[in-house]
Amino acid sequence: MNRLLLVEDDESLALGIEFSLKDGGYEVSRASTVEVGKSLFHLEQFDLILLDVNLPDGNGYELCKYIRTKSQVPIIFLTACDEEVNIVQGLEIGGDDYITKPFRVRELLSRIKASIRRNSKNISMENILKSENVSVDNIKGIVKKYGEVINLTAQEYKLLLIFMNKPNVLMKRDEILSELLEGQDPFFDENTLSVYIKRIREKIEDNPREPQYIVNQRGLGYKWNKDIVKE
């Protein structure tokens, strides 16, 4: 049974979400502040974290940044604001997804299921993928650049594998999104995909402003612009 951490300070909303999650077959631990969220995060092993943005002693962005220094567990933001700048901020600091309040229970459960599945599934059967200075160990789930470990979120890791499994192949944005979401309804739009690619470039490129690995052809799509060695 998957274990979830819910960090939400609205008591009535949190109780409703907790009931729905348990009814959906999940084990749930609940916190209403950043500090309690941190404590529970260290006490237990979670498969996914639901994180409210506005909390009494800080905000979900701060907690997300902290968690990302320790773990790549999937994080879904719960936000009352659907402005693009807030969504992008959450994704850029390491969030995997977001859902805007008010939301339907079925949509929340679907997002959770998809995020957990993406986090646990590798798309390559090869143990090692190498491309010049970047390497991926699919057994350990480790990405390295110049031999140094790079921390990627679950979504970033899967997106990197999508590109590295199709070197020198131009892929349209909707193609990439479909593969990333495994054919489900596109919760993410093209702007969200751009954020993910930007984040990966910042981690693997020597100069993210002049990318050499993930390149785009305006109006057509993206491709992994290097050869791949599989071991």
Side-chain angles (χ1 to χ4, degrees):
M1 183 179 291
N2 294 119
R3 176 172 286 277
L4 311 181
L5 172 59
L6 169 63
V7 185
E8 166 64 63
D9 68 323
D10 184 322
E11 183 72 13
S12 59
L13 177 60
L15 285 171
I17 294 174
E18 182 180 15
F19 175 83
S20 298
L21 294 176
K22 287 182 176 179
D23 191 52
Y26 296 101
E27 293 184 13
V28 182
S29 295
R30 185 158 57 88
S32 58
T33 65
V34 171
E35 285 307 311
V36 174
K38 282 183 182 178
S39 298
L40 289 176
F41 168 72
H42 285 292
L43 286 174
E44 304 177 54
Q45 185 75 31
F46 294 102
D47 298 289
L48 182 140
I49 296 174
L50 292 169
L51 187 52
D52 188 22
V53 171
N54 297 309
L55 296 167
D57 58 341
N59 60 62
Y61 299 138
E62 297 170 4
L63 183 52
C64 178
K65 288 179 183 177
Y66 177 80
I67 291 170
R68 280 291 169 257
T69 66
K70 313 288 183 183
S71 169
Q72 299 307 310
V73 60
I75 295 174
I76 297 179
F77 278 107
L78 306 176
T79 173
C81 182
D82 62 355
E83 290 184 7
E84 184 179 352
V85 63
N86 294 282
I87 292 168
V88 169
Q89 182 179 353
L91 295 174
E92 285 189 333
I93 62 174
D96 292 282
D97 196 0
Y98 63 90
I99 186 166
T100 305
K101 304 173 187 175
F103 47 79
R104 297 184 297 274
V105 171
R106 287 182 63 184
E107 181 182 3
L108 176 62
L109 292 175
S110 179
R111 299 276 191 103
I112 291 171
K113 183 179 179 180
S115 289
I116 291 176
R117 183 173 63 247
R118 286 193 296 268
N119 189 46
S120 63
K121 184 177 179 182
N122 288 332
I123 61 174
S124 173
M125 297 303 292
E126 306 295 337
N127 291 343
I128 305 291
L129 299 176
K130 291 184 179 179
S131 185
E132 293 195 359
N133 299 313
V134 175
S135 66
V136 178
D137 184 330
N138 271 311
I139 301 300
K140 298 179 180 178
I142 294 175
V143 180
K144 293 183 179 181
K145 175 185 175 182
Y146 293 116
E148 297 292 324
V149 175
I150 300 172
N151 291 320
L152 300 180
T153 66
Q155 293 282 47
E156 292 168 357
Y157 180 76
K158 181 168 184 181
L159 184 55
L160 179 65
L161 288 179
I162 289 171
F163 281 117
M164 293 185 72
N165 274 278
K166 295 182 179 179
N168 301 304
V169 175
L170 183 66
M171 292 184 284
K172 296 180 180 179
R173 285 172 170 264
D174 56 356
E175 246 180 275
I176 300 169
L177 280 169
S178 178
E179 194 161 346
L180 184 63
L181 298 170
E182 299 176 15
Q184 294 198 35
D185 291 337
F187 301 132
F188 303 149
D189 57 21
E190 292 190 0
N191 289 331
T192 304
L193 178 62
S194 297
V195 171
Y196 280 123
I197 291 174
K198 177 177 178 287
R199 276 171 26 188
I200 295 175
R201 282 173 169 168
E202 289 172 347
K203 295 177 181 181
I204 67 170
E205 300 281 0
D206 291 336
N207 181 1
R209 294 185 177 182
E210 297 181 8
Q212 302 299 310
Y213 289 100
I214 300 176
V215 301
N216 68 301
Q217 294 187 18
R218 191 172 297 277
L220 296 176
Y222 294 89
K223 70 174 180 178
W224 186 266
N225 202 38
K226 303 285 185 180
D227 293 330
I228 298 287
V229 176
K230 299 182 179 183
E231 300 179 358

